[in-house]
Amino acid sequence: MKKNPFLQLGVIALSLLSSASYGQTGTLNISTDSKTTISKHIYGQFAEHLGHGIYGGFWVDKTLPVKKQDRIRLDIVDALKKIKIPNLRWPGGCFADEYHWRDGIGPATERPRMVNTNWGGITEDNSFGTHEFLELCDLLGCEPYIAGNVGSGTVDEMSKWIEYLNSNSTSTVVQLRKKNGHPAPYKVTFWGVGNESWGCGGNMTPEYYTDLFKRYASFAKDYPGGRLKKIASGPNSDDYHWTEVCMKNIPNWMMSGLSLHYYTIPTGNWGKKGSATDFSEKEYFGTMVNCLKMEELVTKHSAIMDKYDPEKKVALVVDEWGVWTDPEPGTNPGFLYQQNSLRDALIAGTTLNIFNNHSDRVRMAALAQTINVLQALILTDKEKMVLTPTYHVFDMYKVHQDAKYLPIKLSVPDYEVDGKKIEAVNASASQDASGKVHISLVNLDPHNTITITTGLSDVKWQTVSGQVLTSANLTDVNTFKDTNKIHLSTFSGAKKDGDKLVVSLPAKSVVTLELK
């Protein structure tokens, strides 16, 4: 056994129960010596004008027989409120850099139509615009995160959008907002200055983008009650040069965050990504190897940021992440609709553990995407709705939001396929304001139960309870005919043994425990 390379070290050494009788075994030590908070904004979501994410997802036809406010679908709102999503990123993605905000305000019947050139070439009527998005955020009880148009928009256009949203002056643009039905300023704070400027956002060099960022950011003004948290368009995956240039050229006081985008591609091949539901164990193993690369990316980008920002004032914002497979057969390939299996849940749990364990630098993230697109939380078909396995992971992990991060030290068996190895278990832990300790564990091994013995000598607790998410097969999914095939269950595989915790993790499972 070896030490887990992607979990935070520097924890107290604790005596451990002998594990000789448990077969596949591991150990987990937890320390309460921490001053870091796991920001709730790590659990953010992403809703782009793409496929049926907005239209047919959040925003439905007036005749659809579901409960609605205006055209916002309320069963979706209720489901997302349950998992306490903290922020929602909009309108893109690649769509953001061809979106002109004035097209999406005023009477819906008078709004100009546009062609979504990035995603399917469909015509959009702009009926879902700024006011509708902010009404959605209000219903969800989450903060809006708007990505501004740098690729095809002007400095004045972005500046005026912010004024429209946040100012309470008597200017013409503010009067226009009031005329359109919102007298008070919205006070939006999270603001993306462009998206993927290295690619669909303009195919720029980092040197060019950083100069452009400073220009746009200079005219992105703060208004009372709405001080902007400006987020720079950061690197694609392992483009460490992009991060270096951004951190070197953009003053820390000018940006609150630097974005990072990374998708888990099962095959590692963008041309043929692999199926969401039909894959072998070898393909599953390769997918998890690619998922675990997030640890390397976060570590290396953070190290570069530390050189220029040792006080960690600038957050690493992983505002696009998740598994990206081939679209479901028979669907529009430009809509990026894919099913969501138990494998996706293991990816979600593993990635969130990585973020939690790097919460000193990773303070915001957004899963791509919320509804009907990529690794969605929710799938819909007209009035039907299904919660995916990934949704249930976010439900389990909501206990970590704004909780005290607890450093951990993990030693576990390897999971091996064709002579290649990854660690079978990953984990993260936190302590909430009431003193309850929560531990989330993911067993990536599809065959073996693994017993973890946890040292907790500096944690006072009497009882342990928990939830588990698993299923018979890695390829299992929830469907509109069988909506509850993969669901949360009460976990009974943990027990107190003296001052230690002994946990039997089922194969291919996600478990969250509560100690109190």
Side-chain angles (χ1 to χ4, degrees), residues 109-161:
T109 56
E110 298 176 12
R111 297 180 189 180
R113 294 174 177 266
M114 66 170 293
V115 176
N116 188 336
T117 62
N118 281 288
W119 306 116
I122 63 167
T123 299
E124 298 206 22
D125 65 4
N126 276 311
S127 59
F128 188 91
T130 295
H131 289 263
E132 292 75 21
F133 170 65
L134 292 167
E135 181 185 15
L136 171 61
C137 290
D138 185 60
L139 289 171
L140 290 168
C142 75
E143 290 196 49
Y145 171 16
I146 293 178
N149 183 345
V150 170
S152 68
T154 66
V155 171
D156 183 66
E157 181 181 11
M158 183 181 290
S159 177
K160 287 294 193 295
W161 197 5

Side-chain angles (χ1 to χ4, degrees), residues 30-32 36-38 43 356-357 359 397-408 428-433 435-440 459 512-515:
I30 300 178
S31 169
T32 58
T36 299
T37 297
I38 298 174
Y43 292 83
N356 287 348
N357 288 315
S359 51
Y397 277 56
K398 66 187 178 186
V399 293
H400 297 299
Q401 292 189 21
D402 282 346
K404 176 184 175 181
Y405 163 67
L406 300 183
I408 66 176
S428 65
S430 67
Q431 187 171 37
D432 68 17
K436 296 174 186 175
V437 170
H438 295 102
I439 309 169
S440 291
V459 176
T512 292
L513 303 174
E514 180 175 277
L515 280 62

Side-chain angles (χ1 to χ4, degrees), residues 246-263:
C246 284
M247 294 303 298
K248 181 180 180 180
N249 290 358
I250 301 173
N252 291 349
W253 56 265
M254 191 173 266
M255 64 173 169
S256 296
L258 181 70
S259 72
L260 168 65
H261 290 181
Y262 176 70
Y263 288 94

Side-chain angles (χ1 to χ4, degrees), residues 219-361:
F219 293 93
K221 303 293 186 179
D222 291 328
Y223 295 93
R227 183 175 177 82
L228 294 180
K229 301 179 181 75
K230 301 168 191 175
I231 298 168
S233 178
N236 177 26
S237 185
D238 58 359
D239 187 350
Y240 301 113
H241 175 65
W242 188 283
T243 297
E244 186 88 37
V245 173
C246 284
M247 294 303 298
K248 181 180 180 180
N249 290 358
I250 301 173
N252 291 349
W253 56 265
M254 191 173 266
M255 64 173 169
S256 296
L258 181 70
S259 72
L260 168 65
H261 290 181
Y262 176 70
Y263 288 94
T264 295
I265 309 299
T267 64
N269 179 356
W270 281 91
K272 182 65 177 175
K273 302 177 187 72
S275 171
T277 57
D278 182 13
F279 51 87
S280 65
E281 183 178 351
K282 183 177 180 179
E283 291 168 321
Y284 162 72
F285 182 88
T287 303
M288 299 318 301
V289 169
N290 294 336
C291 168
L292 287 166
K293 188 180 179 183
M294 182 67 82
E295 166 65 25
E296 173 189 324
L297 296 174
V298 169
T299 299
K300 290 185 176 181
H301 285 295
S302 295
I304 295 169
M305 296 175 76
D306 287 347
K307 286 173 31 181
Y308 299 94
D309 176 33
E311 297 180 351
K312 301 183 188 296
K313 294 181 179 179
V314 180
L316 183 58
V317 179
V318 191
D319 55 17
E320 288 189 30
W321 69 271
V323 62
W324 190 331
T325 70
D326 294 331
E328 289 300 299
T331 65
N332 186 326
F335 285 7
L336 306 187
Y337 178 85
Q338 63 190 49
Q339 247 295 358
N340 198 288
S341 70
L342 179 62
R343 178 182 68 175
D344 298 64
L346 299 173
I347 289 169
T350 297
T351 304
L352 291 171
N353 281 341
I354 292 171
F355 294 162
N356 287 348
N357 288 315
H358 286 276
S359 51
D360 60 335
R361 180 65 79 176

